[in-house]
């Protein structure tokens, strides 16, 4: 909330990355935008950009997808919120994020399918976001020296899976190592 009638909303956008906008008058009972500014809604927005402002002014909104199945299932909402938080941390303000946005939109679309398993979809979506952002863990080579991983690798909290030559924090068994 910004005032009695306005709210500051953060958007994930393909062209500007993470962007905050003030939605003036959105809290009024008859505001056409009021119901659209909901978590998980995929919107087309018009905003008024000024370089010297950190918070832009929201003009118009149109609903593209409301991801109803994600909102109506507690497990899908919880996993979806995790993915949104991850994306929010990865996107920078005023920096193009087309690939992150595309993966997020497609992943939420898959999570929105009625038969989708929330935990599985969220795991794949999080990995896809990390890959696009250049932060995905290496699961086929040692995260420390780059050498091949043994059948039962070790794990270092700082670098991920490591070979037997490199420093580790935990030794994984065959059951732990399967991904």
């Amino acid at each position: 909330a910004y005032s009695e009638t306005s709210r500051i909303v953060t958007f994930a956008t393909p062209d500007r990355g993470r962007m905050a906008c003030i939605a003036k008058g959105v809290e009024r009972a008859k505001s056409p935008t009021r119901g659209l500014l909901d978590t998980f809604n995929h919107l087309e927005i018009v905003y008024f950009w000024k370089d010297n402002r950190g918070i832009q002014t929201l003009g118009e909104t149109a609903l593209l997808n409301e991801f109803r199945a994600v909102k109506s299932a507690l497990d899908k909402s919880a996993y979806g919120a995790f993915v949104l938080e991850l994306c929010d941390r990865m996107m920078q303000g005023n920096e193009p994020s087309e690939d992150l946005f595309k993966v997020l939109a497609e992943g939420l679309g898959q999570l929105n399918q009625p038969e989708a398993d929330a935990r599985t979809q969220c795991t794949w979506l999080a990995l896809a976001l990390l890959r696009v952002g250049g932060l995905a863990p290496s699961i086929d080579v040692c995260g420390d020296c780059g050498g091949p991983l043994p059948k039962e690798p070790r794990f270092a909290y700082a670098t991920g899976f490591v070979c037997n030559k490199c420093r580790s924090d935990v030794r994984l068994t065959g059951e732990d190592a399967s991904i």
Side-chain angles (χ1 to χ4, degrees):
Y2 181 75
S3 67
E4 282 186 33
T5 60
S6 300
R7 187 176 0 157
I8 295 176
V9 183
T10 302
F11 295 101
T13 70
D15 299 329
R16 300 247 183 215
R18 185 178 57 232
M19 181 176 67
C21 288
I22 185 164
K24 294 182 179 180
V26 74
E27 296 297 335
R28 290 189 179 116
K30 294 185 179 182
S31 171
T33 308
R34 186 176 189 173
L36 298 178
L37 300 179
D38 193 15
T39 303
F40 299 116
N41 279 357
H42 184 189
L43 304 171
E44 183 175 354
I45 62 172
V46 175
Y47 57 91
F48 304 102
W49 182 266
K50 287 200 176 177
D51 285 329
N52 59 348
R53 278 198 233 164
I55 300 174
Q56 306 307 319
T57 303
L58 183 65
E60 299 176 27
T61 58
L63 182 65
L64 299 176
N65 190 340
E66 64 180 325
F67 298 112
R68 190 173 293 193
V70 175
K71 293 178 187 180
S72 65
L74 181 60
D75 61 339
K76 289 184 178 188
S77 292
Y79 284 114
F82 165 74
V83 170
L84 288 179
E85 182 70 23
L86 177 63
C87 196
D88 182 61
R89 303 273 176 148
M90 293 176 68
M91 280 188 170
Q92 301 298 313
N94 199 22
E95 183 177 301
S97 300
E98 291 176 29
D99 293 338
L100 276 174
F101 185 85
K102 181 180 177 186
V103 168
L104 176 64
E106 289 174 359
L108 287 176
Q110 291 171 355
L111 184 61
N112 195 51
Q113 299 301 315
E115 69 281 353
D117 177 67
R119 186 169 71 177
T120 303
Q121 289 298 324
C122 177
T123 302
W124 283 112
L125 180 52
L127 185 59
L129 287 169
L130 290 171
R131 272 197 190 114
V132 168
L135 302 169
S138 173
I139 58 174
D140 52 356
V141 296
C142 176
D144 199 15
C145 71
L149 288 176
K151 188 173 186 172
E152 292 188 358
R154 297 172 182 261
F155 186 82
Y157 294 115
T159 58
F161 292 112
V162 293
C163 66
N164 294 333
K165 298 175 191 171
C166 296
R167 185 182 171 280
S168 66
D169 298 307
V170 178
R171 181 175 180 88
L172 303 174
T173 65
E175 293 173 6
D176 297 329
S178 62
I179 295 178

